[in-house]
Amino acid sequence: KDFYVKKGFSNIDISYQIEKKVGSSYFLNFYINENERVTINEINFNIPDIIQDDEFFLDSKNTLLKKIKQNQSFLDVYLLNDFQIVINDFLFKQGFSKSIEYQINLLDSTSDINFELIENEIKTVKELNFYGNTITKTNILLSKIDIFPGDNLNIKKLDNSIDKLNSLKYVNKVNYSLNENEDKSVVINYDIEENKKTGNFLMGGSFNGDLGLGIIFCLKDENLFGSGNEIQADVTFNSEQSLFSITYISNSIKNNSISNSYSVKNKEIDYSENFGFKAQEKSIGYGTSLKYSDDINLSIGANFSNIRGFSKKNSDLAVTDNIGNFDNINLTFTINQDSTNNFLYPSKGFSNNLSIQYSPDFISESTYIRTTYQNNYYYELQNSSNYFFISNDIGIADSLDGSKLKTINAFNLGGLSFKGFDYMGVGKRTSNNTYLGGNKYFTSTIGYGSSFIFDSKDNFYFRLFYSIGSLWDSDYIKEDFKLRSSIGTSFDILSPIGPISFTYAIPLLKEKNDKERKFNFSIGTSF
């Protein structure tokens, strides 16, 4: 409820109901009535010109106003707090004995924000104490906070630190208290309630029209030896592959926005039905990611793999080129921006993802460069749960040494990636039914959706959509750019086992060799 209020839902109403199941099991259902969200009508800065005219203040102010505009002018206390922390740190470094505070004046569904400069008694943080952390090391908790001994006491910065600690998977709840000394210094005492059961064994299943039934076994610990680091071992089976992998994620102590990952994988892949061979892949990888801002993440990585292709189904060149042992080093760069309002079923906001894979020709036997870009935009209708959306995907890949780009490194299209067509159903095949894919592809989808059908409390989501796209320019066969399109509807249910999606789409434009699949079902979202 506190989170909702800080996000501008001043009249939020939350209730819950417990329903008994069989034996000692229960359903816990939360009912959230968001009501109307408060918008910002006006922001006033009642601050002397000597501060307002400073370049740093102007830049910070413009950043705040830009973020509020991107947030559709909805009230967001977190944005105001971030601005207040930055400016008060600036004032302290400039020798001011004053700080800025803000007041929120509510009037029905709108608000005015007033920033003012006030005289304050500067208190210095003398000491930090952590209590209750019997597993997590104190230096790990210290790396997650923003206020330290020697800093001026900044309540907003302290509150932000509490929010960061509460967001950790191995912390259930954090409270703090302040002890003031005679010299006006303060001691901050953090009371930590740990999640001491961070190790889990999970077993799950999945199903979709592309890969059929899948089974996953997972063993993980989210706070290994109290270090705040994660380790996870996975065993995965589906109709195309069996995979064993171990991943270790190390979070930087000096900068909690940075994490490093190390992985070892052994994978058996059956490409017989589409690419005409089987393969075994062994790999080790390293990656580092940076949370640049609340909605932007950057990552780079390197992966060394040995791929052995065997059991060729026929003698097509596209098959025999994959038979043998190949040592490759793949370098990756990804930038992801996501400002949508829901990671499963967004109705407003936008997201962008740019990914580049590079396998250098001087150290890899299968050398190529592969670039993909994905963009999604959602526009929610005013005072409604209905929205329009546009999704665009484009990819370009090419070999770097003059050889043909192998089919497993090219793009494929169909199934969940282009509804109305079968998995790898778009594009040409040889007379032996070997799928060739393409070096280039694009899809674009425009649609209309709603988060409910009968009642706003329903967990039903549906969309009407029209898609257009193409796959072309294979190195193994001449294939010109030819458009395909489809029209359809999707129906998703948010169930206790996860999202269940049903899709029905009809191809409108298709080529002779394309394979249709009008109905598709998956455990997971449709888009």
Side-chain angles (χ1 to χ4, degrees):
K1 185 173 183 179
D2 179 67
F3 173 77
Y4 263 103
V5 171
K6 288 180 178 178
K7 286 290 186 178
F9 297 90
S10 60
N11 294 317
I12 181 74
D13 181 32
I14 303 176
S15 59
Y16 69 89
Q17 183 180 40
I18 298 177
E19 299 176 5
K20 186 172 178 60
K21 291 175 62 181
V22 179
S24 60
S25 299
Y26 295 84
F27 279 121
L28 173 58
N29 300 313
F30 285 94
Y31 300 94
I32 301 176
N33 186 9
E34 295 179 342
N35 292 310
E36 200 167 5
R37 191 174 181 183
V38 176
T39 58
I40 297 176
N41 177 52
E42 187 176 9
I43 302 179
N44 300 308
F45 296 89
N46 303 316
I47 299 171
D49 292 342
I50 189 174
I51 296 175
Q52 287 214 57
D53 293 340
D54 187 273
E55 183 176 351
F56 180 84
F57 185 91
L58 289 173
D59 289 342
S60 302
K61 175 182 174 181
N62 290 334
T63 299
L64 171 66
L65 297 178
K66 182 179 178 180
K67 289 182 176 180
I68 289 175
K69 184 178 180 181
Q70 291 174 342
N71 198 40
Q72 300 181 17
S73 295
F74 287 123
L75 175 63
D76 189 332
V77 172
Y78 293 103
L79 294 179
L80 302 178
N81 286 349
D82 288 344
F83 173 75
Q84 184 182 31
I85 289 171
V86 168
I87 296 302
N88 284 338
D89 280 348
F90 163 74
L91 293 176
F92 169 69
K93 292 176 182 178
Q94 297 297 314
F96 286 90
S97 61
K98 298 182 179 181
S99 63
I100 64 166
E101 297 287 339
Y102 65 85
Q103 295 289 333
I104 302 174
N105 297 323
L106 292 175
L107 180 63
D108 295 328
S109 60
T110 64
S111 64
D112 290 338
I113 312 298
N114 297 313
F115 283 96
E116 295 186 355
L117 192 67
I118 64 170
E119 191 76 41
N120 65 314
E121 186 179 35
I122 298 178
K123 299 178 182 179
T124 304
V125 177
K126 183 178 182 179
E127 186 180 348
L128 301 177
N129 295 315
F130 289 89
Y131 300 100
N133 54 310
T134 59
I135 297 175
T136 308
K137 298 174 182 177
T138 299
N139 66 319
I140 301 301
L141 297 172
L142 280 169
S143 70
K144 309 301 179 184
I145 64 177
D146 299 324
I147 189 167
F148 301 97
D151 292 347
N152 282 351
L153 180 63
N154 187 320
I155 297 300
K156 299 299 182 183
K157 186 179 286 189
L158 181 56
D159 288 341
N160 275 6
S161 295
I162 295 297
D163 288 339
K164 288 182 178 181
L165 291 172
N166 279 322
S167 69
L168 299 174
K169 297 176 183 178
Y170 43 88
V171 172
N172 288 333
K173 188 177 181 181
V174 179
N175 292 311
Y176 76 89
S177 61
L178 299 176
N179 295 335
E180 186 171 339
N181 301 317
E182 293 181 358
D183 60 356
K184 301 302 181 184
S185 65
V186 296
V187 176
I188 303 176
N189 300 307
Y190 293 94
D191 186 14
I192 308 292
E193 181 184 312
E194 284 184 306
N195 174 15
K196 297 182 180 180
K197 298 181 179 180
T198 56
N200 295 282
F201 173 74
L202 307 172
M203 182 178 69
S206 64
F207 184 87
N208 65 61
D210 291 355
L211 300 177
L213 179 66
I215 301 175
I216 301 170
F217 301 91
C218 173
L219 185 66
K220 65 187 300 185
D221 193 319
E222 295 171 334
N223 188 16
L224 186 65
F225 305 126
S227 65
N229 299 329
E230 303 177 34
I231 189 168
Q232 179 169 324
D234 293 312
V235 179
T236 304
F237 301 96
N238 58 45
S239 62
E240 189 174 270
Q241 70 175 14
S242 58
L243 167 69
F244 171 74
S245 68
I246 297 177
T247 303
Y248 177 72
I249 300 176
S250 171
N251 298 297
S252 172
I253 294 179
K254 294 183 178 180
N255 187 337
N256 55 30
S257 297
I258 297 176
S259 63
N260 301 288
S261 64
Y262 309 84
S263 63
V264 178
K265 297 180 181 179
N266 189 352
K267 182 163 54 175
E268 298 275 353
I269 317 163
D270 187 355
Y271 291 129
S272 300
E273 184 177 348
N274 292 299
F275 294 132
F277 68 100
K278 296 180 180 180
Q280 181 184 52
E281 180 179 349
K282 299 177 180 179
S283 66
I284 57 174
Y286 166 77
T288 182
S289 63
L290 167 67
K291 185 175 178 60
Y292 181 77
S293 65
D294 288 341
D295 58 359
I296 297 178
N297 288 278
L298 305 171
S299 64
I300 57 174
N303 183 78
F304 172 77
S305 64
N306 172 264
I307 301 176
R308 182 174 67 90
F310 61 95
S311 297
K312 64 179 182 179
K313 194 174 182 179
N314 57 62
S315 297
D316 289 339
L317 182 60
V319 176
T320 58
D321 276 353
N322 288 287
I323 304 301
N325 280 283
F326 305 94
D327 292 328
N328 300 305
I329 291 182
N330 292 325
L331 308 176
T332 60
F333 169 77
T334 302
I335 178 170
N336 185 71
Q337 180 185 27
D338 191 344
S339 66
T340 56
N341 62 331
N342 189 297
F343 79 100
L344 275 179
Y345 299 107
S347 60
K348 63 181 176 182
F350 61 90
S351 65
N352 294 285
N353 181 279
L354 174 66
S355 179
I356 300 173
Q357 291 179 295
Y358 174 51
S359 185
D361 56 355
F362 55 90
I363 52 177
S364 296
E365 295 182 81
S366 300
T367 174
Y368 65 93
I369 185 168
R370 174 183 168 116
T371 304
T372 58
Y373 172 71
Q374 298 175 318
N375 165 263
N376 298 285
Y377 177 76
Y378 302 87
Y379 177 78
E380 188 174 61
L381 302 180
Q382 191 171 7
N383 298 323
S384 171
S385 296
N386 305 327
Y387 59 93
F388 292 100
F389 68 93
I390 300 174
S391 299
N392 301 292
D393 291 71
I394 187 170
I396 300 173
D398 202 1
S399 174
L400 297 175
D401 61 359
S403 62
K404 297 181 185 299
L405 181 69
K406 291 182 171 60
T407 50
I408 59 172
N409 297 325
F411 297 106
N412 62 78
L413 201 58
L416 297 178
S417 63
F418 199 160
K419 296 167 182 64
F421 296 89
D422 200 2
Y423 176 52
M424 296 193 190
V426 176
K428 290 188 176 181
R429 293 173 178 259
T430 68
S431 58
N432 292 318
N433 200 37
T434 301
Y435 184 71
L436 300 175
N439 292 19
K440 301 179 179 70
Y441 89 100
F442 94 94
T443 61
S444 184
T445 299
I446 185 170
Y448 171 84
S450 178
S451 61
F452 65 90
I453 296 179
F454 306 108
D455 185 88
S456 61
K457 295 182 178 62
D458 292 338
N459 289 325
F460 300 125
Y461 303 82
F462 81 95
R463 296 179 180 89
L464 302 172
F465 61 88
Y466 170 78
S467 297
I468 190 169
S470 185
L471 177 77
W472 72 101
D473 200 22
S474 167
D475 283 346
Y476 290 95
I477 193 170
K478 179 176 174 57
E479 185 171 10
D480 296 330
F481 176 89
K482 294 180 180 179
L483 286 175
R484 281 84 162 177
S485 67
S486 65
I487 189 170
T489 182
S490 69
F491 181 73
D492 290 25
I493 305 171
L494 190 57
S495 73
I497 65 171
I500 299 177
S501 176
F502 303 89
T503 303
Y504 186 82
I506 301 172
L508 300 178
L509 291 175
K510 65 176 184 176
E511 292 299 306
K512 179 180 178 181
N513 296 322
D514 292 342
K515 296 182 178 181
E516 295 185 16
R517 173 177 284 179
K518 295 180 180 178
F519 176 77
N520 210 334
F521 164 76
S522 66
I523 299 177
T525 61
S526 56
F527 282 87

